[in-house]
Amino acid sequence: MDDRDATRRVAAHYSRDAEAFARYWAPYLRPKAEALLDRLPLAEARVVLDLGTGTGALLPSIRAAAPRALVVGTDLAEGMLRLARAGAPGPLALMDDQQLALLDRCADGALLSFVLHRLPDPAAALGEVARVLRPGGVVGTVTWGHGRRAEAGRVWDAILAARGVPSEPSTVDNHALVDQPAKLRALMLGAGLEPLEAWTSTYEQRYDLEGWLDFAIGSGVGRRAAPELRQEYLREARQRMAGLSPEAYVVRSEVVYAVARRRGARPLDPRANEP
Ligand SMILES: C[S@@+](CC[C@H](N)C(=O)[O-])C[C@H]1O[C@@H](n2cnc3c(N)ncnc32)[C@H](O)[C@@H]1O
């Protein structure tokens, strides 16, 4: 599979699963992405891009952090953009992060929240960011670092595997390219950006048994099963998981942040560039 096919497959996956993403992931990822906004000087920005905006969960927070800016959400998955459109007013555009349909030096800020690991070529996307940022413009990224599978997840996977439920068709998994601050710094340098800082924090989501089962069936392969089968999986899971400790239902992972800027001085008067 070449990069273009892989890119299309990822977009198709997110389009199809947009509702599940909106319910089971977007609200939990948003606070992690909001931490980036504290580190990006966007108060005077005029154009800010949320690249791979998904269901647009971060857009209101970006607008609050960049009150003078036109904030544009982009994504390659139509299904995600449809939900973003329903959620909040504002410009959205369908485009590939690795090939942005945007003019050089058009933006003061860009964010990529939990996107880089899903791109066949994250370096190309950062190269595109460098191209579309104005000198002095800033980019912030957040993505997954090292995590561990929750015990409840292992039990759930075993139940599905024993019943022959096929696993999800694989989309691009480039976690290993972007899962450490040093890797992100290197990618940003390679893209011609000046890394400013990179750090980690912890993502933690705690469930109880029923909350876990709702998450597992709603966000994984189980949701594609016929309703009566789903009920069977859930019955078995309730029996097998009843004795697990609360820790078994904790999803915990490192998240990795990086902030960089495009080299060059920001014009003293931003209107100086205008005709
Ligand atoms: C894990 S979701 C994160 C969504 C959103 N940024 C958030 O934090 O809630 C990854 C997003 O990247 C988008 N995406 C994947 N490949 C892309 C590409 N090549 N160009 C643009 N968006 C892409 C997906 O469609 C999906 O919306």
Side-chain angles (χ1 to χ4, degrees), residues 10 14 52-54 75-77 80 95-98 113-114 119:
V10 173
Y14 277 105
T53 190
D75 205 283
L76 198 57
M80 295 292 247
M95 68 178 84
D96 182 353
D97 286 346
Q98 302 152 117
S113 160
F114 297 97
L119 303 178

Side-chain angles (χ1 to χ4, degrees), residues 247-263:
E247 184 64 16
Y249 301 103
V250 181
V251 176
R252 191 177 291 122
S253 173
E254 207 175 47
V255 286
V256 184
Y257 295 89
V259 171
R261 70 194 275 278
R262 178 168 168 166
R263 289 193 175 81

